[in-house]
Amino acid sequence: MTVRWRWVWVLLGVMGLSTGCWDQRTVASRAVVLAVAVDPGPRPGVWAWTFDLPRVTALSSSTISSIVSANAYFSLTVLSGSYADALLKAQERVARDLYFGQMRILALSTQLPTAAWIHVVDTFNRTGLVRKTFYVVAAPNAAALFKAPLSADSEPSFLLQKLFTADSQPYVFKEQAWKIWDDIVTPGITAVVPVVEVTPQQTIVVNQLAVLSSPRVALWPRPVAAGWAYLTGHVTKATWTLSDQSVRGIGMTLIRGKARWTIRRRGRQVEVSGTLTYRGILEEYPQRLGWEPSRLHHIERIVADGIVKAGLRTLKMAEADHIDPFGWHRNLLWQEGQENVLRPLETVSWQGWHVRFAVRVSVLGQGDSR
Amino acid sequence: MSDQQERPIGVFQYVTMVAVAVWTGQMYTWPLPLVEVAGSNGFPVLGLGILYMVVSGLVHQAWLRESGQSSALARIGTAALAVSGMILVLVMDAALLSIFGNMLNVVFYAMTPRWALVMPMVGLAAWISIQPLVTIARLAQLWIPLVVGLSYLTVLAGINHIRFWSAVSVGGIHWTGILPESRAMAGILIPFVPMMLLLAPQVNASRQRVRRGDYGLWIVIMGVLTSFYIVGLTVLGPEAIDHLRWPMVYLFATITFGGSFFISRVGVITVFFWSILMILSMIVHVRALMTIWPWRSAEAARPWIAAVWGLWMLGGSLFVFSPGQTYAWMINVFHPWLVVYLAVELVVAMVGVGVAWALRWVGRRRADEAP
């Protein structure tokens, strides 16, 4: 019996040790970071770190339905040259332990140099206690994203997250932090990040793509960004309004599809060939036009031509900037087993590259009426 | 040997025990060694590892069959092969536990001191390892399918993350550097032979069924390693893996089920369950070692062995191996020696099988000649 009791004590001791008591904090002494924004500071080498936090004590199950954004959340800005220092300063200011297990958004200013972007993304990726699935967004003024008095939602960082998770966007520009980091450390691919802007009407829109080219982040306007989305299959529910004379005003909606690319080296040349397959539905098709196959083919062709044009525009942009946001250089390096030829973020050469792609658009249906 | 006192284990239990003994310590860093050491030559090196495991498995099967555990010499031979491998395994275990404690520190418990994370694990392992073999076999039988199944489920949940099919089709095969690169597999292969030699005689089944179990075991061990390697490559890509300390843990951290509250981060559960496998693999290692205890009162000796082992694991993981440098030391210093050991051990086992064959042949000739 005594031996058995001894083991009971040992087991109790083990249980006591395995709970990780050292890391235990009450909810009131933790500050749950929902989002972090990094902006350029007043002088070089100093950045403004903004932490978006909920007032835990103001939130309870009875008040959660009637949260007023003005007092349930607050953001805190500290100036610092490093993440560790910023963390410490912020913790001192809120008198709480910062907790990153619920982090949703990392917003980085487009005015920061690319090196700063990489530093911040890498730091957040390296820190083990930060989850890796938050979204990275770019903004002209990152901290302003959390201060927008939005009517639609109680909290800007919630809205930002929903912007990406609710599939409300035509193009999938969202990328989780670990993928951005992965693209940053892999040679032959340029990471792209959606640019989120607050409009004068206090809504949040995604119109541009930030391309992490060196030394500064390049901004791609919406048409070019759309071309990137079509070329890489990042389209979820685009629409296309036809302006051709015979079919003016008809809209093709719910366009979605995929892109397949093969990359082959032929001597000094590299041949890239792709097939983009997109399908859509004609929602506003007027009855008077009839439903002949030839007319449908005509519409399909117009949309396909539009996609080709958008794609070519994007390719030209990538060539001019010496970047590869499609990852084709990376794929070629892997195919040839030469990962060490390029360094991460190095500009790529498009010399000798021939890109050829075909677009297939098909009309799936025309809605309920005929 | 104290085989007679032990209750025998089943074939499936044997398979799960050897599988956990081989995998677990490695899973936290896998497939980092392969990517770091072999680069784009990963698949040939993996293939070489599989080939070695099959050849070595067949040779040691033959050794167990030929020696038959009958003569004292055969038993000493088996014990020598097993113990020499086990010494290396125990050194590696302490190093891996040091890395594991560091992983828990970095990813989960920042403020908890490392000794508080490592000590309960070693204590629990030491306590369970003095139990009868069949108790441990049942633990393995329960946990291995559960955790491996959950890991696969987690990986399946992340299948929409697969981005780089081209990463699998890496480069050509470079045969020139394959020998130094084979050290990437040494850590996986080292516990394999001792576990087989020590645990196979404990199985209560016909030799044929044990052999069939062995074949299944090899397929399962290498199947899991290969599939996790492919998943790592296709989701993260070789460069990202090379930048990470625990690629599989990182991979699981990337998997979320958006809206669901209860299982929003299933990867965390998987990683927690892996702690159980870590403990279980330590238990199997030390408990298998206890089966060769040559004294009759093996049961009385077990707590002492467990205590000595526990002290080594604690001291080794907390004081001998520092988490920062241990991985580099293992890859650059320890694993090359493991490759040498594995090669020598295989040759010795082959010679042993040859000698046993010859002795049997001579014995049969003598028996025939006798009037």
Side-chain angles (χ1 to χ4, degrees), chain B residues 273-290:
Chain B
F273 273 16
W274 272 4
S275 306
I276 293 164
L277 288 205
M278 188 76 193
I279 297 171
L280 206 52
S281 87
M282 296 195 298
I283 294 170
V284 174
H285 288 167
V286 63
R287 189 60 182 82
L289 199 57
M290 287 173 187

mmCIF file of all heavy atoms in Angstrom, chain B residues 273-290:
data_model
loop_
_atom_site.group_PDB
_atom_site.id
_atom_site.type_symbol
_atom_site.label_atom_id
_atom_site.label_comp_id
_atom_site.label_asym_id
_atom_site.label_seq_id
_atom_site.Cartn_x
_atom_site.Cartn_y
_atom_site.Cartn_z
ATOM 1 N N PHE B 273 -0.767 15.802 -28.668
ATOM 2 C CA PHE B 273 -0.769 14.340 -28.661
ATOM 3 C C PHE B 273 0.619 13.782 -28.964
ATOM 4 O O PHE B 273 0.962 12.705 -28.515
ATOM 5 C CB PHE B 273 -1.791 13.808 -29.675
ATOM 6 C CG PHE B 273 -3.166 13.675 -29.107
ATOM 7 C CD1 PHE B 273 -3.496 14.314 -27.935
ATOM 8 C CD2 PHE B 273 -4.123 12.897 -29.726
ATOM 9 C CE1 PHE B 273 -4.758 14.205 -27.395
ATOM 10 C CE2 PHE B 273 -5.399 12.781 -29.200
ATOM 11 C CZ PHE B 273 -5.708 13.438 -28.028
ATOM 12 N N TRP B 274 1.380 14.532 -29.732
ATOM 13 C CA TRP B 274 2.725 14.076 -30.035
ATOM 14 C C TRP B 274 3.577 13.970 -28.781
ATOM 15 O O TRP B 274 4.518 13.188 -28.744
ATOM 16 C CB TRP B 274 3.374 15.008 -31.035
ATOM 17 C CG TRP B 274 3.091 14.615 -32.437
ATOM 18 C CD1 TRP B 274 2.278 13.599 -32.844
ATOM 19 C CD2 TRP B 274 3.616 15.199 -33.608
ATOM 20 N NE1 TRP B 274 2.270 13.532 -34.196
ATOM 21 C CE2 TRP B 274 3.072 14.501 -34.700
ATOM 22 C CE3 TRP B 274 4.488 16.245 -33.847
ATOM 23 C CZ2 TRP B 274 3.385 14.825 -36.003
ATOM 24 C CZ3 TRP B 274 4.783 16.558 -35.148
ATOM 25 C CH2 TRP B 274 4.244 15.861 -36.217
ATOM 26 N N SER B 275 3.261 14.791 -27.774
ATOM 27 C CA SER B 275 3.992 14.667 -26.509
ATOM 28 C C SER B 275 3.816 13.269 -25.957
ATOM 29 O O SER B 275 4.746 12.685 -25.390
ATOM 30 C CB SER B 275 3.481 15.683 -25.494
ATOM 31 O OG SER B 275 3.524 16.956 -26.049
ATOM 32 N N ILE B 276 2.613 12.727 -26.123
ATOM 33 C CA ILE B 276 2.363 11.373 -25.655
ATOM 34 C C ILE B 276 3.264 10.398 -26.409
ATOM 35 O O ILE B 276 3.864 9.504 -25.820
ATOM 36 C CB ILE B 276 0.876 11.017 -25.849
ATOM 37 C CG1 ILE B 276 0.030 11.882 -24.920
ATOM 38 C CG2 ILE B 276 0.636 9.541 -25.613
ATOM 39 C CD1 ILE B 276 -1.424 11.904 -25.276
ATOM 40 N N LEU B 277 3.378 10.594 -27.715
ATOM 41 C CA LEU B 277 4.241 9.702 -28.493
ATOM 42 C C LEU B 277 5.691 9.838 -28.060
ATOM 43 O O LEU B 277 6.429 8.860 -28.027
ATOM 44 C CB LEU B 277 4.132 10.019 -29.988
ATOM 45 C CG LEU B 277 2.857 9.647 -30.700
ATOM 46 C CD1 LEU B 277 3.139 9.460 -32.180
ATOM 47 C CD2 LEU B 277 2.252 8.381 -30.153
ATOM 48 N N MET B 278 6.082 11.067 -27.739
ATOM 49 C CA MET B 278 7.459 11.287 -27.289
ATOM 50 C C MET B 278 7.725 10.467 -26.029
ATOM 51 O O MET B 278 8.736 9.757 -25.931
ATOM 52 C CB MET B 278 7.646 12.779 -27.009
ATOM 53 C CG MET B 278 9.054 13.192 -26.711
ATOM 54 S SD MET B 278 10.047 13.260 -28.209
ATOM 55 C CE MET B 278 11.667 13.387 -27.486
ATOM 56 N N ILE B 279 6.804 10.568 -25.070
ATOM 57 C CA ILE B 279 6.952 9.802 -23.834
ATOM 58 C C ILE B 279 6.951 8.311 -24.150
ATOM 59 O O ILE B 279 7.777 7.542 -23.650
ATOM 60 C CB ILE B 279 5.816 10.158 -22.850
ATOM 61 C CG1 ILE B 279 5.902 11.634 -22.457
ATOM 62 C CG2 ILE B 279 5.877 9.279 -21.611
ATOM 63 C CD1 ILE B 279 4.714 12.125 -21.667
ATOM 64 N N LEU B 280 6.025 7.918 -25.011
ATOM 65 C CA LEU B 280 5.881 6.501 -25.328
ATOM 66 C C LEU B 280 7.147 5.946 -25.984
ATOM 67 O O LEU B 280 7.569 4.820 -25.676
ATOM 68 C CB LEU B 280 4.682 6.340 -26.277
ATOM 69 C CG LEU B 280 3.973 5.003 -26.270
ATOM 70 C CD1 LEU B 280 3.597 4.590 -24.867
ATOM 71 C CD2 LEU B 280 2.732 5.087 -27.144
ATOM 72 N N SER B 281 7.753 6.734 -26.849
ATOM 73 C CA SER B 281 8.956 6.219 -27.515
ATOM 74 C C SER B 281 10.088 6.060 -26.511
ATOM 75 O O SER B 281 10.843 5.084 -26.558
ATOM 76 C CB SER B 281 9.371 7.145 -28.660
ATOM 77 O OG SER B 281 10.196 8.177 -28.211
ATOM 78 N N MET B 282 10.176 7.009 -25.551
ATOM 79 C CA MET B 282 11.209 6.866 -24.520
ATOM 80 C C MET B 282 10.953 5.613 -23.696
ATOM 81 O O MET B 282 11.871 4.863 -23.370
ATOM 82 C CB MET B 282 11.215 8.106 -23.615
ATOM 83 C CG MET B 282 11.596 9.383 -24.326
ATOM 84 S SD MET B 282 12.015 10.739 -23.218
ATOM 85 C CE MET B 282 10.498 11.001 -22.342
ATOM 86 N N ILE B 283 9.661 5.386 -23.380
ATOM 87 C CA ILE B 283 9.306 4.207 -22.590
ATOM 88 C C ILE B 283 9.713 2.933 -23.327
ATOM 89 O O ILE B 283 10.336 2.035 -22.752
ATOM 90 C CB ILE B 283 7.788 4.180 -22.314
ATOM 91 C CG1 ILE B 283 7.384 5.339 -21.415
ATOM 92 C CG2 ILE B 283 7.377 2.859 -21.683
ATOM 93 C CD1 ILE B 283 5.879 5.516 -21.310
ATOM 94 N N VAL B 284 9.364 2.880 -24.603
ATOM 95 C CA VAL B 284 9.660 1.659 -25.366
ATOM 96 C C VAL B 284 11.162 1.432 -25.435
ATOM 97 O O VAL B 284 11.640 0.307 -25.271
ATOM 98 C CB VAL B 284 9.036 1.743 -26.783
ATOM 99 C CG1 VAL B 284 9.466 0.568 -27.627
ATOM 100 C CG2 VAL B 284 7.530 1.781 -26.692
ATOM 101 N N HIS B 285 11.922 2.496 -25.631
ATOM 102 C CA HIS B 285 13.379 2.342 -25.699
ATOM 103 C C HIS B 285 13.924 1.736 -24.412
ATOM 104 O O HIS B 285 14.629 0.728 -24.436
ATOM 105 C CB HIS B 285 14.054 3.694 -25.939
ATOM 106 C CG HIS B 285 13.852 4.219 -27.326
ATOM 107 N ND1 HIS B 285 14.149 5.503 -27.682
ATOM 108 C CD2 HIS B 285 13.377 3.636 -28.442
ATOM 109 C CE1 HIS B 285 13.868 5.694 -28.968
ATOM 110 N NE2 HIS B 285 13.392 4.564 -29.436
ATOM 111 N N VAL B 286 13.566 2.346 -23.290
ATOM 112 C CA VAL B 286 14.183 1.882 -22.035
ATOM 113 C C VAL B 286 13.615 0.520 -21.638
ATOM 114 O O VAL B 286 14.331 -0.339 -21.136
ATOM 115 C CB VAL B 286 14.039 2.935 -20.915
ATOM 116 C CG1 VAL B 286 12.609 3.194 -20.573
ATOM 117 C CG2 VAL B 286 14.814 2.516 -19.681
ATOM 118 N N ARG B 287 12.351 0.305 -21.936
ATOM 119 C CA ARG B 287 11.748 -0.971 -21.541
ATOM 120 C C ARG B 287 12.293 -2.122 -22.376
ATOM 121 O O ARG B 287 12.502 -3.236 -21.873
ATOM 122 C CB ARG B 287 10.222 -0.900 -21.693
ATOM 123 C CG ARG B 287 9.498 -2.077 -21.122
ATOM 124 C CD ARG B 287 9.796 -2.174 -19.626
ATOM 125 N NE ARG B 287 9.154 -3.344 -19.031
ATOM 126 C CZ ARG B 287 9.649 -4.574 -19.086
ATOM 127 N NH1 ARG B 287 10.777 -4.795 -19.718
ATOM 128 N NH2 ARG B 287 9.014 -5.576 -18.519
ATOM 129 N N ALA B 288 12.551 -1.846 -23.671
ATOM 130 C CA ALA B 288 13.142 -2.885 -24.516
ATOM 131 C C ALA B 288 14.529 -3.251 -24.000
ATOM 132 O O ALA B 288 14.917 -4.418 -23.989
ATOM 133 C CB ALA B 288 13.226 -2.394 -25.959
ATOM 134 N N LEU B 289 15.242 -2.223 -23.533
ATOM 135 C CA LEU B 289 16.574 -2.473 -22.975
ATOM 136 C C LEU B 289 16.484 -3.389 -21.761
ATOM 137 O O LEU B 289 17.354 -4.230 -21.523
ATOM 138 C CB LEU B 289 17.210 -1.132 -22.599
ATOM 139 C CG LEU B 289 18.724 -1.109 -22.422
ATOM 140 C CD1 LEU B 289 19.420 -1.593 -23.676
ATOM 141 C CD2 LEU B 289 19.174 0.298 -22.077
ATOM 142 N N MET B 290 15.413 -3.239 -20.981
ATOM 143 C CA MET B 290 15.279 -4.048 -19.763
ATOM 144 C C MET B 290 15.055 -5.521 -20.077
ATOM 145 O O MET B 290 15.288 -6.367 -19.232
ATOM 146 C CB MET B 290 14.102 -3.538 -18.931
ATOM 147 C CG MET B 290 14.368 -2.212 -18.245
ATOM 148 S SD MET B 290 12.852 -1.633 -17.477
ATOM 149 C CE MET B 290 13.331 -0.016 -16.937
#
